[in-house]
Amino acid sequence: MGRAFVYVILGGGVAAGYAALEFSRRGVAPGELCIISEETVAPYERPALSKGFLLPEAPARLPAFHTCVGANDERLTPDWYKEHGIELVLGTRVKSADVRRKTLITAMGETISYKVLIIATGARALKLEEFGVKGSDAVNVCYLRNLADASRLVNVMQSCNDGNAVVIGGGYIGMECAAALVTNRIKVTMVFPEAHCMARLFTPKIADFYEGQYESKGVNFIKGTVLTSFENDSEGKVTAVILKDGTRVPTDMVVVGIGIRANTALFDGQLAIEKGGIKVNGRMQTSNSSVYAVGDVAAFPVKLFGGDIRRLEHVDSARKTAKHAVAAIMAPEKSAKHAVAAIMAPEKTADFDYLPFFYSRVFSFSWQFYGDNVGQVIHYGDFSGGKFGAYWLDKGRIIGAFLEGGNREEYEAIAKVVKHKTTIKDVSELERRGLDYALRS
Ligand code: FAD
C-alpha cells in the first residue's frame, strides 16, 4: 500500500498552511502536494487557541481561524485544498521516516513517498512526568498545544464555574491561559520557579507591570517554587496541588504550561540536529538536500545575530520560514523555465533574512517584541498603565525592542531600529526620548 507525491509536508500546523498557500501561488500542479497531519482538521492559526478560542462570549471556532487569516491573507478551508488539488491526509500520524529512501510510514502502515519533504512537525507540550511529577492524565489537568487540548480546556473550564484554577508555568501559555480563566470568572493561582513571569523575555520591571495588572484582577502569584504532587479525590480528579515549599493550594482544575520540545524524533540519527531542532541552512534545507524543515522544529541561522543558529517558537517565524522554504524549493524549476528568473534569483539571494518577532495579547494589553533580549536594557514610557517599552543594547547598538500598547506605525518603528541595529551615541538621550527615538530614526 502506498502513494507518491512530488512534495510532502509532514505536519499540518501553522507552517504547513502557509507553505501550502505559497506552493499554490508558485504554481504547484494538482496531485503534486500532500500534507500529512496527526490533527483531524486543516491547518489553523494556533495562537487563537489561547486567545479567541477561550473567550466566554462569541468564542472563535473553526473554520474562522484556518491559516492564513493570521497574516490577513486567504483562509484555507478544507474546500480550498480540494479546489487546488492539494491532498490533506488528516488524522494520520507518521511513525517512521527514511530520508535515504524518501519515504514516510504512517501509523496505519501506509508508505508515502516524496521527492521533496518539508518537515513541519512543530513541537509538543512538555509533560509534568518529564520533571518527575505524576498525574497529567487526571480529568481536570489541562495542557494546551492543539485544538483537542483547547476543546478539553473549554469543557473543564465550563465545569468549574466560579471555581479555582492553578496555572503551572509563567511563560506565555501560562499567562494567556490565566487571563482567559479570569475572563471566565475562575480564580487563578499561578505557580512558577522563576522570580517573575515571562522570565525568558521580560525584564523584572516589565514583568512587574503585568503581574500588577493580573493581581488587580485577583490572580495570586506563588513564585520561586514548583509543583511536587497532586491530591486527588476518589474519582482521580485533582483537588489540590502540593508545592516544593510545602504550600497546599486547593483547586478545581490545573493548567500546565511548562514549555515545549520540538518534534524531531522521526529524524534523530538521520539529519543534523542543533539547539533541539532540525538544523537547516539559509534556504531551510536540512543536512539532506531533499528535506527542508520549517517552523518550531527548525533551527536556522539568523543573519541579524551574525548567523547564530536559533530555534524560534513563534508564529511569525513559522509563517515566514515556510514561505521561504517553498520559495527555495520552487525557484530552481522557475529558473529553468525562465532564464531571466535564473539571473534575477541566484541561490545566494535566497538566504533567509529574518527579524525575530513575538507578540502576545492578554486582557486589554498587547505587546510586540523584535530582535534579541540580551545586553543593556533601557526602559522608557509610562509604566503606570500607559504606553511603555524597552530597548536592548549590545556594543552600543539596538538589538532588541519591546513595546506595550503600540500602534502599527510605532511597532514598525521599533522593528526598524532593531533591523538596522541603530547605533546609540548617547544612551541617556535614548532613555529620555523613548519611543520617539525609534519614530524619528
Ligand atoms: P505546529 O503549528 O505545532 O504544527 C505542527 C503539526 O505537526 C501539528 O499539526 C502536529 O499534529 C503535526 N505533527 C507532529 N508530528 C507529527 C507526526 N509524526 N505525524 C503527523 N503529524 C505530526 N506564537 C506567537 O508568536 N504569538 C502567540 O501569541 C502565540 N500563541 C500561541 C498560543 C498557543 C496556545 C500555542 C500552542 C502556540 C502559540 N504560539 C504563539 C506559537 C505558534 O503557534 C507556533 O510557533 C506555531 O504554531 C509553529 O508552527 P509549526 O507549523 O511549526 O508547528
Side-chain angles (χ1 to χ4, degrees), residues 11 13-15 38-39 46 50-51 94 145 296 314-315 358-359:
V14 171
E38 196 170 3
E39 291 187 79
R46 202 164 298 280
S50 53
K51 304 176 184 66
V94 167
R145 181 68 201 181
D296 282 9
H314 308 150
V315 73
F358 184 45
Y359 73 94

Side-chain angles (χ1 to χ4, degrees), residues 369-387:
F369 170 79
Y370 295 87
D372 211 2
N373 59 327
V374 290
Q376 184 187 2
V377 186
I378 308 294
H379 292 101
Y380 63 82
D382 175 10
F383 276 81
S384 65
K387 203 169 280 187

